[in-house]
Amino acid sequence: MATINPNYDKLAAGYLFPEVARRVGVFAEKHPGAKILRLGIGDTTEPLTPAVVAGLHAGVDRLASRESYTGYGDYEGDPPMREALARIYAQRGVELGLDEIFVSDGAKPDSGNIQSIFAADNVVAVQDPAYPVYVDTNVIAGRAGRFDPVTQQYDRIVYMPCTAQNGFFPELPTQHVDIVYLCSPNNPTGAVATKEQLSGFVRYAREHRAVVIFDAAYSAFIRDDALPRSIYEVEGAKQCAIEINSFSKIAGFTGVRLGWAVVPQALEIEDGGAGKLNQLWRRRQSTFFNGASNVVQAGGMAALSEQGLAECQGLIDYYMRNAAIIRTALEELGLDVYGGDNAPYVWMKAPNGMKSWDFFDKLLTEAHVVGTPGAGFGPSGEGYFRLSSFGHRESIEQAVVSIRENLRL
Ligand code: MLT
């Protein structure tokens, strides 16, 4: 008799974004005439750039003849793709070997799957609030313990509060943990870690023989050149950190799917010397995954060409202009607003001490604008709210006009 993985029943709620979509669906059904302005999920909306489209077409064309057809590629990704990624890191002074880069179908699968190479009793620390994948995948793996509905926390996860008081970057854990998830620029708060802040976690990880899983999916949105785009810009990080990144937000690949993980050879853990985690991740990927799509990698290579990078910068600038429009409008209304300057997410305090989901309903009902409730990202997100800048300019502009005119503060 088959039985289920009982850890699924420990998940506290449905995945955040389907729940947002469900509530919006209910509202839309009740108000069929309402024009709903979606600033909820961080999903790109602008078309792929010309260089990327040409790269994808060329990838398809190569599959159309016997001479150029290819089947399975390297599990780790096409070598030219890994070389191109290594060149991008080298521009920031980070030297990576091609055997340290693993091309994948996106940062979400990588950030969910990476926990599988660690022991089931490892203690996990997360920024609170955090991208829900980090906690949920550890719940499913049996690492999280019991959910307490009062504290809204799992009893084996260490929550590192990110609040207005600490600039939305956490203090170091006061106890021992084995795995630390950090995301910078942060989803959802839009805060960006400085080199000094990351150095503190690198020192902690090396002292505790812990591993930092660094989600850099939004690094291309950093405008301030003094801020690190990769944790490997910090001395000693190769000994203790795995980094995950993505083409989704850089090149509009949310539907196309392409990302990469860096697992350095120098990375060491308690019971495995240098190279062990790299070897385990290679083993994991070659067992569960047949490599990223060859067509998609052709598009990704085009995005990393000189023309592609310039065009993708245009996309990033477009979304960052959207973020500035949202941020300015909310500030003009006297709201407490964070992020949006080196990150595509604007994080705001819900007005008048409102709870996140109450503000979600209010914003939807009064202004027909969809955002994401901060509480959905963890207990410290309660009372906060996230707006995404990944919409078309006209929806962003309509959303801020509607907020200004219709939201009763
Ligand atoms: C978000 O809105 O947080 C992102 O779209 C989630 C994701 O990239 O999976």
Side-chain angles (χ1 to χ4, degrees), residues 15-17 39-44 107-109 111 130-133 187-188 215 217-218 246 248-249 254 257 345 372 377 386 388 390:
Y15 190 63
L16 174 62
F17 296 104
L39 280 61
I41 191 163
D43 192 6
T44 48
K108 181 176 185 178
S111 54
Y131 182 42
V133 172
N187 177 14
D215 182 348
Y218 300 95
S246 166
S248 286
K249 313 294 157 81
T254 49
R257 308 306 305 150
Y345 294 122
T372 309
F377 296 97
R386 191 194 79 174
S388 157
F390 287 112

Side-chain angles (χ1 to χ4, degrees), residues 23-24 27 36 359-370:
R23 292 191 186 213
V24 174
F27 177 84
I36 298 173
F359 185 65
F360 173 90
D361 290 334
K362 180 179 170 70
L363 190 66
L364 182 57
T365 315
E366 292 177 5
H368 300 174
V369 171
V370 181

